[in-house]
Amino acid sequence: MRISSPSLLASVLLLGGAFTGVVSQQFDNCPAVPRLGEKCNVCTPGSEPANKWTTDCRLRVRMQCTYIDNGQTKSCFPPGNSVNNNEPEPTWKYTQEECDRGGAALEFPATIVYQMCNANDQTFTPIAEKNFIKFAHNRRLESESIIENAVWDSTINAQACRTQTYTTTLKPCTNKWRGMALEMDGNLAKDFPDYCRCFLREYLLAEISDNPDTPAPVNPPLTRPPTGTKPPMGTKPPTGTKPPTGTKPPGPSPKPATKPPVVAPAKCDFTNVVITELASPEESLAKYIELYFLDKNCKGEEITEEIKVISYGPGDCEPSNIDVALKGQTIREDGFFTICNSASAETYYGRGECTMVGGLTSPANLRGTETIAIVDIEEKVIDIFGVPCTDPDPDNKQYFVHGRVVRKPSVWLPSPEYNRKNYRVFPGCGQEVGPEGMDINEWKKVQGPVCAPEHTILITEIVDLDVDSDTEVPRYVELYAPRKRDRGMGFDHDLKLVIFHSDFLEPNWPSAVPIDYMPENGFLVVCNEAASGEYGSKCAIVSDKIAGPANSNGNDQIALISGDEKGWFVVDIYGVIGEDGDDTDHDFHNSRVVRKLDAVEMEATWSKDDWVVCKSDTPDPNLWNSDECGTAEGAPTHGPTSAPTRESQKECQFFFSELSDVEDVPYIEIKSTCPGKTISRDLSVVSWKEYGLSCSVSLKGVVVPDDGFIIICANKIQHQHEYGGYKNIGGKWRDMSVCDIEDYMLLAGHGSNSLAIKDADAGCEKNNCVGSNCHAGCSDKYLDIYGYPGASLDYTDHQFEDCRAARKMHYPYGSSPFNPNVYEVICLSFGFNSQPGEDADPREWKEVPLVLFFTEFCDPVDNKNKRVIELYSPNKRNYKIKDDLIVMKWQGSSAYPSYTYQSLKGQKINSKGHLVLCMNYYAYSGNICDVQTGFSGVTKLSGSEHFALAKCTHPSNDCHYIDIYGTPGTIAGAAQDFTDGKVFRRRTVPAPKRIYDSNHWVVVNDINADQCGAGTTPPPVPAPSPGSGGGPGPGPGPGPGRGPSKGKGKGKYWRRK
């Protein structure tokens, strides 16, 4: 990152700087007698045009600058310098020879105080980008020289002040010009108008003249006058004389020197260093930590102090024992110091860009979830990104997996405390950054991610009308802001509407349309000239670019992006970048495309499921209230002219999306693709129970609710009580408690019943169908089925008693005959926290994520061929793993994972939720072993290893850990080592866990193979309690008559059955 010159010059001024902050007491006016080095300004309504300010604005701003010279405190401002004097006298006057000889004698410790006071009776809230303090090389208010502090932008109470004290070293010979500024800009807590502002700007000047041509000195030689004398500048009085009364030197007195001293090279302040960038792209060998040394004397210097970079792992409150020591390394000539995780990083960024290679086990091998800090010899933090103890969560403000962190150039002071406002963090809203998006050894302002919670702007309609003319085709792109807070305001995110022509990978930049404002109605329509003539004032922007986004003929990609040619990312898009749209799902030639009403989130990747393509349709600019073709105002009606018929509904799908028997409040959830329609077909739901009994309920005449779900419950009151409340689904608030049909008998014995949606009008009997599902030749007999016609689910793997059968999202259609792979059976889990997918969710249909964790490791003393690793899923049964999951291990105290691992992708979790890894299938009888690893595989246990279930393709410290046993990099202690024994997880603890806790596990020593619990649920083991012996050994199970509670999230087992 190359730092711009304003930041560099400003940073040089702040050597040794530090801040303190306090809130002062009440005040009245500027002091009648200013303090030494003080400047003050009071702003009232009369001092600015009344139409710009609130009528009762009263603020005071104050600056005070003093420095120490030869033990004396002096004002930074020369006598007679008034407030806002644009041409003040210099504070210091030296010749270049004096500067060359003076060295450290002409460097002065200084204290600068900035104060903002709110004399109003209302709270003052600063405007973040306009409220600042500054100490820099000039008087301009560029952001690179603004001093930021964690509390400076917070509110100031009525009749109160906020003060910042800054300490630095003034070097008049090195830096001659300085600007000091204090800007108080914000709003009062009152009705409009509420704007209030006050500012103060001052110079600190030094004048360095050329050396005189004659040997006679104009300024005194660098010797201290005899005691008691104060000679005026330019005079050398005899010993014992005194200067004339009233004379005093106009500048500071330099320290004595009997002969010109040998000027030593300026010493680098190695602790004046900041973290400027953290790069964690998906490419595992292209990661780095970038530092910048602010002291100009550090450039090209060898680091001679004990400084190191440390890392706190995700969720860790203590730093890792692996760090990067910087002592002995050499800083680049531009002040940067970049630590790469691999020498291969230079293949991405260029030769010589890595200052040093830390290695794949160093902090530079960033995962994007850690905290990074620079510390000194006493382990004191100099600068830090992140907060230790923070868990890896994509929603937190320091998560940068497959992304980067960039320090704002305006924040150039090292800070031992993390402030998220000081950084730009990617991916932010899914905007990942690859190596090509990094800027190693540069430091410049970058645009942060644009997130949906901040501003939501959607592409809702694109029009390419089917008209006779090829040149005068009315075309437009409609943008919409669904949130009222985003309307009637400007944007500062460098948004542009662009077109990617055909299969181009880059936008057509000359035709990009800036989007920096959203009208009050929430719509912004960008038209070509023909559309402007057609729709007039409905067009907010008219683009005359023939190759622009508002003039596409249908085979292009239209996108809202943030950025420019130097760097950009997609905010929302229609189409697939790099793919010509002709004859694809996103071809809209002679068509109108409309975003579906439930697609209310910005999407950087196009999905055909979010859009409807309408051929030769009627457009409706500035309106988004339908996603059906032919519904625009003035369009021909496609609605029915009579009551719905079987023929008109032949395309309607009806299928089970959920069968729930959770918490004794059973229900059947049916999903229909025809919301709002009255069912005209003779449909019914049939339930087959034990002993051949059956019952049914008719759906004919039922109006499908507008969310497309039909809920059949046993008792409406119980259902409403259990699931009462509203949820925002797809941008609409839904009452989750609504039960559409009540039928107790249909749901009696629910978890053991087979169920089907039957179409009695299919005429299967007339077609002489054969087969138990009557699907040959007349597949509409059963539109969907769970189980078997005429039989219950007893003694099958498909029972869902006390569980729920949820349809997988990949099967949005009915299935006949019964296909058990279409459903997942999820049962109540064990632990205080419910697992994803186990709670019933009427009127919702969503994917159930896999939950998987370790439950047992066994190393039996009598038969090492029967060593096993057991994993368990509380919410998946007969499930084939689709993700790249592996079981990996570390041996001994090594911080490097072993090359031996076991991939779980494609492996199947059994009907009980277990996945058992064995050395050998034949060592066990029965169906215990699910995966055979071999005798040299991951199940070759010694009992002292550390294990992790991780999301990656092969072992690496860069893997995303899901569950962990042990602490890699350490020797296993007695509470972890299970040599010649086994260890199993307590059933009363939450799982999975990314941080190992020995209290969650029980080690049992000296056991035989028949005592391994592979494929079975371990006995309940309560946590140790006072008086129980204090040890972690197995404790008693539940007492007589005390089974697990069925209350939500309490006392549940991993598997109830």
Side-chain angles (χ1 to χ4, degrees):
M1 291 181 162
R2 287 184 194 89
I3 192 167
S4 58
S5 56
S7 294
L8 178 60
L9 290 172
S11 64
V12 170
L13 297 172
L14 302 180
L15 299 179
F19 267 108
T20 61
V22 298
V23 177
S24 303
Q25 302 300 319
Q26 296 181 0
F27 67 96
D28 294 312
N29 294 295
C30 289
V33 179
R35 302 176 182 88
L36 182 67
E38 182 182 56
K39 301 294 180 183
C40 182
N41 191 21
V42 172
C43 301
T44 60
S47 56
E48 287 287 332
N51 62 341
K52 292 185 178 181
W53 285 25
T54 177
T55 55
D56 52 359
C57 174
R58 184 175 176 83
L59 304 175
R60 187 189 75 177
V61 290
R62 184 176 70 88
M63 294 191 301
Q64 184 179 14
C65 180
T66 57
Y67 67 94
I68 306 298
D69 173 34
N70 228 7
Q72 291 184 322
T73 302
K74 298 184 178 180
S75 169
C76 300
F77 308 112
N81 181 28
S82 61
V83 171
N84 292 325
N85 181 3
N86 290 325
E87 297 180 0
E89 289 295 320
T91 301
W92 301 278
K93 289 184 179 181
Y94 298 117
T95 65
Q96 189 60 56
E97 181 183 1
E98 288 175 317
C99 287
D100 294 340
R101 291 160 49 198
L106 298 183
E107 297 179 1
F108 310 105
T111 301
I112 304 170
V113 179
Y114 298 88
Q115 187 182 68
M116 293 183 180
C117 295
N118 175 21
N120 301 283
D121 294 328
Q122 302 89 17
T123 300
F124 174 83
T125 301
I127 299 174
E129 65 272 17
K130 297 181 180 180
N131 200 83
F132 58 82
I133 57 178
K134 173 186 144 174
F135 176 65
H137 70 289
N138 59 36
R139 298 185 68 184
R140 290 178 300 163
L141 302 181
E142 69 284 317
S143 61
E144 286 81 0
S145 61
I146 294 171
I147 299 170
E148 291 192 0
N149 185 272
V151 300
W152 195 251
D153 286 339
S154 57
T155 59
I156 302 177
N157 293 331
Q159 301 295 325
C161 299
R162 175 159 289 122
T163 303
Q164 294 291 340
T165 301
Y166 173 65
T167 58
T168 187
T169 299
L170 301 178
K171 299 180 179 181
C173 287
T174 306
N175 301 287
K176 307 170 186 178
W177 308 93
R178 295 168 185 80
M180 296 175 62
L182 188 152
E183 181 99 8
M184 191 174 183
D185 201 311
N187 303 95
L188 299 179
K190 62 183 297 295
D191 294 335
F192 185 84
D194 57 356
Y195 180 64
C196 202
R197 176 176 181 243
C198 198
F199 65 91
L200 191 58
R201 303 170 190 174
E202 294 299 329
Y203 270 129
L204 249 69
L205 304 180
E207 183 178 286
I208 311 301
S209 60
D210 295 333
N211 296 324
D213 296 330
T214 62
V218 177
N219 290 320
L222 295 179
T223 58
R224 185 180 297 278
T227 305
T229 64
K230 291 185 179 181
M233 189 71 76
T235 309
K236 189 175 181 180
T239 304
T241 63
K242 294 183 179 181
T245 303
T247 6
K248 68 176 182 178
S253 305
K255 295 182 180 179
T258 56
K259 60 181 180 179
V262 177
V263 179
K267 185 179 179 181
C268 164
D269 180 5
F270 293 110
T271 62
N272 198 12
V273 58
V274 292
I275 300 167
T276 48
E277 185 180 12
L278 303 174
S280 180
E282 185 174 6
E283 287 76 2
S284 60
L285 301 180
K287 303 180 178 184
Y288 61 82
I289 298 173
E290 180 187 89
L291 313 178
Y292 183 74
F293 286 84
L294 297 162
D295 187 347
K296 69 173 185 177
N297 297 317
C298 294
K299 294 183 177 181
E301 291 295 311
E302 179 181 331
I303 300 173
T304 57
E305 296 184 18
E306 298 286 352
I307 300 173
K308 58 185 180 181
V309 176
I310 64 172
S311 171
Y312 296 79
D316 293 348
C317 300
E318 296 294 332
S320 164
N321 56 1
I322 301 174
D323 54 46
V324 176
L326 304 186
K327 186 176 181 180
Q329 300 292 331
T330 301
I331 302 167
R332 289 167 51 103
E333 290 293 339
D334 56 8
F336 287 100
F337 189 97
T338 301
I339 310 163
C340 297
N341 72 330
S342 167
S344 299
E346 294 195 341
T347 64
Y348 295 93
Y349 304 118
R351 190 173 180 179
E353 295 295 340
C354 297
T355 314
M356 72 175 292
V357 176
L360 297 178
T361 59
S362 74
N365 196 36
L366 297 163
R367 288 171 286 182
T369 56
E370 58 269 272
T371 294
I372 300 296
I374 312 171
V375 298
D376 62 15
I377 190 173
E378 297 178 351
E379 302 288 337
K380 292 182 179 179
V381 174
I382 299 172
D383 196 39
I384 191 169
F385 170 83
V387 179
C389 308
T390 300
D391 288 328
D393 185 346
D395 293 330
N396 71 35
K397 302 301 182 182
Q398 65 182 70
Y399 184 91
F400 60 102
V401 175
H402 298 169
R404 65 192 293 227
V405 172
V406 182
R407 191 189 199 96
K408 294 179 182 178
S410 58
V411 187
W412 33 261
L413 284 174
S415 175
E417 295 181 359
Y418 173 63
N419 180 4
R420 66 180 180 84
K421 294 182 179 180
N422 294 345
Y423 298 88
R424 300 290 194 191
V425 180
F426 298 86
C429 316
Q431 298 134 18
E432 297 183 354
V433 185
E436 67 282 353
M438 309 300 172
D439 52 4
I440 191 169
N441 298 319
E442 293 186 35
W443 188 14
K444 60 187 179 183
K445 185 177 180 180
V446 298
Q447 169 62 53
V450 180
C451 301
E454 184 176 358
H455 298 301
T456 299
I457 304 176
L458 306 173
I459 301 172
T460 49
E461 185 182 11
I462 306 174
V463 168
D464 174 39
L465 282 183
D466 183 8
V467 297
D468 294 333
S469 172
D470 289 331
T471 57
E472 297 294 326
V473 181
R475 295 167 173 149
Y476 67 78
V477 179
E478 178 186 80
L479 304 179
Y480 178 61
R483 295 184 173 95
K484 290 185 178 180
R485 69 186 185 195
D486 295 335
R487 303 174 186 176
M489 63 176 296
F491 301 108
D492 58 355
H493 295 290
D494 202 11
L495 296 180
K496 298 179 178 69
L497 184 67
V498 298
I499 184 172
F500 294 79
H501 288 143
S502 184
D503 58 357
F504 281 42
L505 297 175
E506 282 284 323
N508 181 270
W509 292 110
S511 67
V513 179
I515 305 298
D516 53 9
Y517 179 79
M518 184 57 65
E520 291 285 354
N521 67 352
F523 288 95
L524 190 147
V525 179
V526 182
C527 300
N528 68 357
E529 292 184 319
S532 175
E534 181 79 15
Y535 303 109
S537 61
K538 292 184 178 180
C539 297
I541 298 175
V542 178
S543 172
D544 60 358
K545 305 292 185 181
I546 296 177
N551 205 35
S552 173
N553 62 356
N555 71 324
D556 309 304
Q557 334 308 322
I558 308 299
L560 187 66
I561 67 162
S562 174
D564 53 29
E565 295 94 326
K566 298 178 181 178
W568 54 272
F569 56 83
V570 174
V571 176
D572 196 36
I573 191 168
Y574 179 85
V576 180
I577 297 175
E579 179 178 276
D580 189 303
D582 281 338
D583 298 323
T584 66
D585 290 331
H586 52 91
D587 185 354
F588 60 95
H589 178 60
N590 289 344
S591 304
R592 163 181 176 256
V593 292
V594 182
R595 193 186 198 103
K596 289 186 178 179
L597 295 179
D598 59 358
V600 294
E601 298 295 335
M602 300 184 296
E603 297 292 347
T605 303
W606 179 77
S607 171
K608 67 177 182 180
D609 296 330
D610 291 341
W611 295 86
V612 178
V613 179
C614 302
K615 295 291 184 180
S616 301
D617 201 17
T618 303
D620 57 355
N622 292 313
L623 190 65
W624 186 43
N625 61 1
S626 174
D627 52 17
E628 296 183 14
C629 299
T631 57
E633 183 178 352
T637 177
H638 289 192
T641 56
S642 60
T645 64
R646 172 181 171 76
E647 186 64 24
S648 71
Q649 293 187 359
K650 65 181 181 179
E651 299 299 328
C652 290
Q653 292 275 349
F654 294 88
F655 54 86
F656 297 122
S657 50
E658 182 183 5
L659 307 172
S660 177
D661 191 44
V662 175
E663 304 293 355
D664 293 330
V665 187
Y667 65 84
I668 297 169
E669 180 183 84
I670 299 172
K671 179 66 174 175
S672 170
T673 58
C674 297
K677 300 287 182 67
T678 301
I679 300 175
S680 62
R681 299 155 70 182
D682 192 4
L683 303 184
S684 61
V685 177
V686 183
S687 173
W688 289 282
K689 307 175 185 296
E690 58 183 351
Y691 310 119
L693 299 176
S694 68
C695 56
S696 64
V697 62
S698 176
L699 300 181
K700 187 173 183 179
V702 172
V703 178
V704 180
D706 64 353
D707 61 1
F709 291 105
I710 301 173
I711 301 293
I712 305 174
C713 67
N715 184 294
K716 283 190 175 183
I717 295 176
Q718 288 182 352
H719 189 88
Q720 291 172 353
H721 181 267
E722 181 70 17
Y723 302 111
Y726 284 80
K727 277 189 180 180
N728 191 309
I729 301 174
K732 294 184 179 180
W733 288 98
R734 303 287 187 187
D735 184 357
M736 313 306 290
S737 70
V738 172
C739 170
D740 303 292
I741 301 172
E742 180 182 62
D743 195 298
Y744 175 80
M745 291 305 298
L746 186 76
L747 285 105
H750 185 44
S752 298
N753 300 340
S754 292
L755 294 154
I757 302 175
K758 178 182 176 181
D759 186 349
D761 286 342
C764 283
E765 292 81 1
K766 299 176 183 178
N767 294 338
N768 297 316
C769 290
V770 295
S772 62
N773 291 313
C774 194
H775 63 278
C778 46
S779 58
D780 282 343
K781 174 66 176 182
Y782 296 122
L783 302 184
D784 196 26
I785 190 167
Y786 184 90
Y788 310 98
S792 74
L793 298 172
D794 285 340
Y795 311 108
T796 72
D797 289 335
H798 314 305
Q799 283 183 280
F800 56 94
E801 183 182 355
D802 294 331
C803 306
R804 56 190 290 258
R807 194 182 206 91
K808 297 176 183 177
M809 298 288 289
H810 302 295
Y811 300 94
Y813 47 81
S815 176
S816 174
F818 174 47
N819 180 2
N821 294 323
V822 170
Y823 297 89
E824 297 181 72
V825 176
I826 307 122
C827 300
L828 295 177
S829 68
F830 172 77
F832 291 98
N833 298 315
S834 60
Q835 298 289 355
E838 72 178 48
D839 288 332
D841 55 358
R843 315 203 84 86
E844 286 188 272
W845 186 31
K846 56 190 177 184
E847 197 70 49
V848 178
L850 168 65
V851 178
L852 188 66
F853 48 83
F854 296 119
T855 48
E856 182 177 344
F857 301 88
C858 192
D859 178 38
V861 68
D862 62 331
N863 189 346
K864 296 298 183 181
N865 289 335
K866 290 193 173 183
R867 288 178 283 198
V868 297
I869 298 174
E870 180 191 75
L871 298 98
Y872 179 73
S873 173
N875 69 343
K876 297 290 183 182
R877 299 292 179 272
N878 299 312
Y879 175 81
K880 187 176 181 180
I881 297 174
K882 303 178 181 64
D883 295 329
D884 287 315
L885 300 183
I886 66 171
V887 174
M888 54 190 288
K889 67 179 181 179
W890 293 259
Q891 294 177 317
S893 60
S894 174
Y896 302 91
S898 168
Y899 291 109
T900 303
Y901 70 99
Q902 178 62 49
S903 173
L904 302 184
K905 187 174 183 178
Q907 301 296 339
K908 190 174 182 180
I909 297 169
N910 66 28
S911 61
K912 295 181 180 180
H914 291 106
L915 184 66
V916 180
L917 280 56
C918 305
M919 296 185 73
N920 189 323
Y921 282 128
Y922 304 104
Y924 281 93
S925 60
N927 299 320
I928 292 178
C929 201
D930 300 300
V931 181
Q932 178 178 263
T933 67
F935 291 100
S936 59
V938 73
T939 55
K940 186 180 180 181
L941 308 173
S942 68
S944 60
E945 302 97 334
H946 314 275
F947 292 88
L949 174 64
K951 190 171 186 179
C952 50
T953 56
H954 58 274
S956 164
N957 283 332
D958 195 36
C959 290
H960 172 67
Y961 303 139
I962 297 171
D963 193 31
I964 197 162
Y965 178 81
T967 307
T970 65
I971 295 292
Q976 177 187 338
D977 195 321
F978 58 93
T979 303
D980 295 335
K982 72 173 183 178
V983 59
F984 61 89
R985 197 176 212 127
R986 296 179 185 275
R987 292 170 57 193
T988 52
V989 297
K993 293 283 288 182
R994 296 187 182 99
I995 301 174
Y996 169 66
D997 188 339
S998 61
N999 293 317
H1000 291 187
W1001 295 84
V1002 177
V1003 175
V1004 183
N1005 298 316
D1006 299 322
I1007 67 160
N1008 295 325
D1010 59 359
Q1011 294 174 286
C1012 291
T1016 62
T1017 303
V1021 181
S1025 59
S1028 65
R1042 297 187 63 186
S1045 165
K1046 288 189 66 176
K1048 274 195 172 180
K1050 297 180 180 179
K1052 298 177 183 176
Y1053 287 82
W1054 287 332
R1055 170 75 169 171
R1056 286 179 54 86
K1057 297 171 59 180

